[in-house]
Amino acid sequence: MIKSLSPEWNDLLKSEFDKPYYQLLSSSVNEAYKSSVVYPPAKLVFNALALCPFEKIKVVIIGQDPYHGAGQANGLSFSVNDGVRKPPSLQNIFKELATDIPGFKIPESGNLEPWAKQGVLMLNAVLTVREASPGSHKSFGWEFFTDALIRLISENKEHVVFMLWGAFAISKTNLIDSQKHLVLTAAHPSPLARGAFFGSKHFSKANNYLIENDLDPINWNLT
């Protein structure tokens, strides 16, 4: 498992990297890459952190685990590589943006890297998956690591917007200090989910909150 992280992220996460659970996790992931097809590519496992420095984090979007089809996953939750057909959940995210953000145009590509570079951390709770097997690496211990990461952000930053979509993401609410941060919840954007995602207006709510706290809003347009 390749850790292409900045010195800052390495310093912040050193205590997690040194824990016994992480040694077991790393061993399981390394073995999985050797014995099966795993996504995203090993060099992109920590892409969400690599593209979004800690000091720049303004928004956190929590997903479950990576896309499990060939060429899809690029290490950012809900994002796909250029040239890959947009999955239904991402299509619905763009539909919501089109009704929420004036002037938003649905892009050709589903690659969300421009958001990451502005301070949107798109974090999956589980960072790897075996091809065609959703949830296959859930038992590896990734959630110990990503839960610790969410707590770290909550404790060491202020005025971060957490977008929690669906029951799984909403279950992370107890890791976040809602007195210091804005926690937004809605149904999952998947067409199969129950409840309301459309009309939640999370993107405009996030920008309004950032502006109220003297932070630059996110340019959600990808075109």
Side-chain angles (χ1 to χ4, degrees), residues 13-159:
L13 295 169
K14 185 179 186 308
S15 62
E16 293 303 311
F17 293 146
D18 290 341
K19 289 179 180 178
Y21 87 81
Y22 190 84
Q23 306 307 313
L24 290 172
L25 165 62
S26 184
S27 177
S28 296
V29 172
N30 287 336
E31 182 56 37
Y33 273 101
K34 292 176 186 174
S35 61
S36 59
V37 177
V38 174
Y39 301 125
K43 66 181 180 180
L44 297 179
V45 170
F46 291 100
N47 201 30
L49 302 181
L51 291 175
C52 187
F54 181 79
E55 72 273 8
K56 288 187 69 173
I57 294 174
K58 298 177 183 177
V59 177
V60 178
I61 300 176
I62 298 174
Q64 196 154 354
D65 64 351
Y67 294 123
H68 52 85
Q72 290 181 301
N74 62 10
L76 308 177
S77 62
F78 296 102
S79 176
V80 291
N81 287 312
D82 292 326
V84 174
R85 188 173 185 273
K86 296 188 286 287
S89 292
L90 184 55
Q91 291 181 38
N92 283 345
I93 289 170
F94 288 154
K95 287 177 185 176
E96 171 63 13
L97 274 158
T99 65
D100 185 24
I101 300 296
F104 180 86
K105 292 181 173 56
I106 294 178
E108 292 287 326
S109 174
N111 191 331
L112 305 180
E113 287 188 10
W115 292 358
K117 293 173 181 177
Q118 295 179 72
V120 181
L121 180 65
M122 287 162 279
L123 179 69
N124 280 315
V126 176
L127 298 187
T128 56
V129 68
R130 187 173 71 249
E131 183 178 41
S133 301
S136 50
H137 289 182
K138 185 171 171 50
S139 64
F140 282 9
W142 272 123
E143 286 186 68
F144 292 117
F145 177 75
T146 53
D147 282 1
L149 179 54
I150 294 165
R151 279 194 211 94
L152 177 74
I153 295 166
S154 176
E155 292 171 3
N156 292 279
K157 294 188 70 71
E158 292 185 342
H159 309 312

